[in-house]
């Protein structure tokens, strides 16, 4: 994936959902924070996975450069995932979400 590709592939709402996921939020937490249903959160995450060509939350976070250090969210980093795509910086993703 080329630099900037994940930003152009994802909608602002999908980036918001992914940013909350990066902070360790559950689907229920995300739904409450964004005032949407859990089903809508799941749909956004499914669309994110499809756009980024990944199959898990961890892979999506890694591809977008949103993966937290192990000491912050150990449950997210326990799985061992190797992603051969370019990683975006968290600042770039957050900048896109803020727009």
């Amino acid at each position: 994936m080329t630099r900037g590709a994940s930003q152009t592939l994802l909608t602002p709402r999908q980036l918001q959902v992914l940013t909350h996921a990066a902070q360790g939020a559950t689907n229920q937490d995300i739904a409450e924070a964004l005032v949407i249903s859990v089903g809508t959160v799941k749909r956004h995450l499914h669309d994110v996975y499809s756009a980024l060509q990944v199959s898990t939350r961890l892979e999506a976070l890694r591809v977008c450069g949103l993966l937290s250090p192990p000491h912050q969210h150990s449950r997210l980093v326990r799985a061992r995932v190797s992603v051969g795509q370019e990683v975006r910086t968290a600042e770039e993703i957050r900048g896109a979400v803020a727009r």
Side-chain angles (χ1 to χ4, degrees), residues 12-79:
R13 190 57 141 185
Q14 290 168 343
L15 288 168
Q16 286 178 325
V17 169
L18 199 56
T19 300
H20 281 278
Q23 296 168 352
T26 64
N27 289 351
Q28 182 67 43
D29 295 336
I30 297 168
E32 290 173 7
L34 299 178
V35 192
I36 57 178
S37 73
V38 173
T40 301
V41 171
K42 290 179 181 180
R43 184 72 215 171
H44 282 310
L45 288 171
H46 176 270
D47 293 343
V48 165
Y49 302 160
S50 294
L52 298 177
Q53 299 178 356
V54 299
S55 57
T56 67
R57 186 180 296 221
L58 181 63
E59 289 175 312
L61 295 174
R62 208 174 278 250
V63 166
C64 291
L66 293 173
L67 191 61
S68 299
H71 65 278
Q72 290 182 351
H73 300 294
S74 59
R75 72 184 178 132
L76 291 176
V77 296
R78 282 188 194 135

Side-chain angles (χ1 to χ4, degrees), residues 75-89:
R75 72 184 178 132
L76 291 176
V77 296
R78 282 188 194 135
R80 294 183 181 146
V81 177
S82 175
V83 178
Q85 298 173 334
E86 183 175 330
V87 176
R88 297 198 24 89
T89 66

